[in-house]
Amino acid sequence: MGIDYSQLHDPNAEYTMRDLSSETMGVTRERGGDRDVEITDIQTTMIDGNFPWTLVRIYTDAGITGTGEAYWGAGVPELIERMTPFLQGENPLDIDRLTEHLVQKMSGEGSIGGVTVTAISGIEVALHDLAGKILGVPAYQLLGGKYRDEVRVYCDCHTEEEADPDACADEAERVVEELGYDALKFDLDVPSGHEKDRANRHLRDPEIEHKAEIVEKVTERVGSRADVAFDCHWSFSGGSAKRLAERLDEYDVWWLEDPVPPENHDVQREVTQSTTTPITVGENVYRKHGQRRLLEEQAVDIVAPDMPKIGGMRETQKIADLADMYYVPVAMHNVSSPVATVASAHVGAAISNSLAVEYHSYELDWWSDLVEEDVIEDGYIEVPEEPGLGVTLDMETVEEHMVEGEELFDEA
């Protein structure tokens, strides 16, 4: 018999003075039309993709459901189960209030960052799908309308010989020529064979030269046919990151991503301001509050929030609005299934400073089968015009690829 996480005792959630429920706030007026809808249940199903994606489904008394997705991670389904009673009986159209309601209710369980925010994000995405279906409009319309019909996608590329500069260049050319992408990303935190100590974050000169060779071979091979970014996954010290960025200044680098750990904004600022190589940060910085210092102190050239991880669709839009005050573009990090990928595209359509959305599953041959619609065509996502997110889960594919021991949620 499993634990019923929805019934866990938490005095903070039960007695919080900033309870934003409709009952406490007095939000009881009839809305007219078909807009008087109540949430009845929330369920999750985890998919065993190249990441363990958590799909989220919200059910209502009107028979309409909304589907979303949370960034992968242990504990997310349990947290969503924990939060379900806080939303039962609520009108799903009040997306902003309900999201903040969950943040307040879960404050004792860490709702300023980490998997608690990620769980809230998955619910928030599902609310956008649900609200769009109730109102008969696509999700981007709930965010204020669109700046563009299609959103550019950058392909996160890999090869079995990830440390071989020539192999990386070959893969870059294949992805451009055969798959049709004009935006790519490769990893730079790969073994060079020159490491002395993996714990101290220091890069020796031979290591830097090896990484520069990868950048040189890839950027020269694709030339002007594609923009190419390079990811460091928070691996290096401040001094090493500065030396690496300076070494790469001569190449056409779209951006250098996460060269230092995300906790210390002061070091991040110093690295960014030391180089003309564009520096990108944001996937491990939660909510707009976490991104604020990065932007205010001009510690980032491109901000990269991961929408289903750091707060959801509206939170990402708020980050984009803050970034726009500093003339900083947004390149959304994304390792999701088609559900959150399309949700990110809706955000990308609705913000003025959208640069691109990541695609991290080009080696997974069934990724696109998870939904009935085509998602990526020639390196772009055409933003759906159907109500909500505009994608429909293929339940047979979902069931086929569930994590072992997982249960399929109820169909719509």
Side-chain angles (χ1 to χ4, degrees):
M1 188 72 176
I3 297 171
D4 184 353
Y5 288 94
S6 67
Q7 298 302 313
L8 288 183
H9 175 61
D10 179 357
N12 184 80
E14 293 166 13
Y15 301 120
T16 177
M17 295 302 293
R18 197 162 184 265
D19 185 317
L20 301 180
S21 66
S22 57
E23 181 180 2
T24 301
M25 298 296 294
V27 182
T28 59
R29 184 176 299 170
E30 291 186 10
R31 307 193 184 204
D34 297 322
R35 294 183 294 123
D36 276 317
V37 178
E38 290 187 3
I39 294 171
T40 58
D41 194 18
I42 305 176
Q43 299 177 15
T44 63
T45 294
M46 188 177 290
I47 304 299
D48 190 12
N50 55 327
F51 295 86
W53 304 310
T54 297
L55 301 180
V56 183
R57 177 157 283 178
I58 300 177
Y59 299 81
T60 68
D61 62 354
I64 305 172
T65 63
T67 301
E69 179 180 349
Y71 184 91
W72 66 278
V76 171
E78 291 82 359
L79 283 162
I80 291 174
E81 182 183 348
R82 169 83 181 101
M83 290 184 279
T84 296
F86 304 147
L87 294 188
Q88 287 174 322
E90 292 284 351
N91 191 311
L93 296 177
D94 296 338
I95 299 173
D96 204 60
R97 177 177 61 81
L98 295 181
T99 303
E100 186 63 21
H101 178 50
L102 293 180
V103 170
Q104 296 301 318
K105 282 285 193 179
M106 299 297 288
S107 59
E109 296 173 66
S111 59
I112 62 171
V115 292
T116 305
V117 171
T118 296
I120 294 171
S121 302
I123 293 173
E124 196 262 11
V125 174
L127 286 172
H128 275 88
D129 186 44
L130 180 53
K133 290 175 179 177
I134 293 170
L135 298 175
V137 298
Y140 73 77
Q141 203 72 64
L142 302 174
L143 301 173
K146 63 181 177 180
Y147 282 88
R148 51 193 65 84
D149 286 331
E150 56 183 16
V151 174
R152 193 182 189 192
V153 175
Y154 74 89
C155 184
D156 191 297
C157 302
H158 299 273
T159 172
E160 291 183 1
E161 302 173 271
E162 61 181 356
D164 182 344
D166 289 312
C168 292
D170 290 343
E171 181 65 357
E173 184 165 37
R174 185 186 77 84
V175 171
V176 170
E177 289 299 316
E178 296 182 15
L179 304 184
Y181 289 91
D182 64 0
L184 317 174
K185 186 169 77 175
F186 284 84
D187 292 343
L188 275 191
D189 57 323
V190 294
S192 67
H194 302 290
E195 294 84 5
K196 295 295 184 182
D197 188 330
R198 292 179 181 271
N200 61 27
R201 303 189 185 279
H202 177 70
L203 286 174
R204 301 172 62 240
D205 284 345
E207 295 175 77
I208 288 179
E209 288 306 312
H210 171 258
K211 298 180 191 314
E213 186 179 2
I214 293 175
V215 172
E216 179 181 21
K217 291 288 182 69
V218 171
T219 55
E220 288 186 355
R221 181 71 68 85
V222 301
S224 60
R225 292 176 294 168
D227 294 311
V228 189
F230 297 90
D231 198 344
C232 302
H233 294 107
W234 326 282
S235 297
F236 310 130
S237 68
S240 292
K242 291 177 185 178
R243 289 165 49 232
L244 174 62
E246 182 180 7
R247 178 66 180 84
L248 301 182
D249 276 348
E250 64 182 279
Y251 304 115
D252 186 15
V253 174
W254 198 17
W255 71 70
L256 186 65
E257 185 171 325
D258 291 323
V260 296
E263 295 91 347
N264 192 321
H265 285 4
D266 295 328
V267 175
Q268 179 63 60
R269 181 185 63 248
E270 291 173 9
V271 171
T272 299
Q273 295 182 357
S274 73
T275 179
T276 59
T277 298
I279 303 296
T280 298
V281 182
E283 69 178 271
N284 255 358
V285 183
Y286 291 85
R287 305 183 69 211
K288 62 182 182 293
H289 303 287
Q291 309 278 352
R292 179 180 60 83
R293 276 193 62 197
L294 287 174
L295 293 161
E296 286 183 349
E297 299 180 12
Q298 300 179 55
V300 61
D301 295 305
I302 300 167
V303 68
D306 193 304
M307 184 278 299
K309 178 181 184 179
I310 57 85
M313 296 174 70
R314 284 181 58 79
E315 192 74 10
T316 301
Q317 183 183 40
K318 292 172 185 177
I319 292 168
D321 289 342
L322 180 60
D324 194 48
M325 293 177 65
Y326 296 90
Y327 316 128
V328 171
V330 177
M332 276 177 272
H333 184 268
N334 174 63
V335 295
S336 302
S337 84
V339 175
T341 300
V342 170
S344 293
H346 277 278
V347 178
I351 60 176
S352 64
N353 48 344
S354 175
L355 193 61
V357 172
E358 183 175 12
Y359 173 50
H360 205 293
S361 305
Y362 78 115
E363 298 167 298
L364 193 68
D365 59 7
W366 55 267
W367 183 88
S368 60
D369 297 336
L370 204 63
V371 296
E372 297 177 3
E373 298 81 6
D374 293 329
V375 175
I376 302 173
E377 294 285 344
D378 297 323
Y380 284 79
I381 297 174
E382 185 175 330
V383 183
E385 287 297 328
E386 291 76 17
L389 297 182
V391 289
T392 308
L393 287 177
D394 184 303
M395 297 302 285
E396 291 185 2
T397 304
V398 170
E399 187 170 16
E400 180 183 354
H401 294 286
M402 290 189 303
V403 170
E404 185 177 355
E406 181 62 285
E407 294 183 3
L408 185 66
F409 48 43
D410 297 337
E411 288 200 49

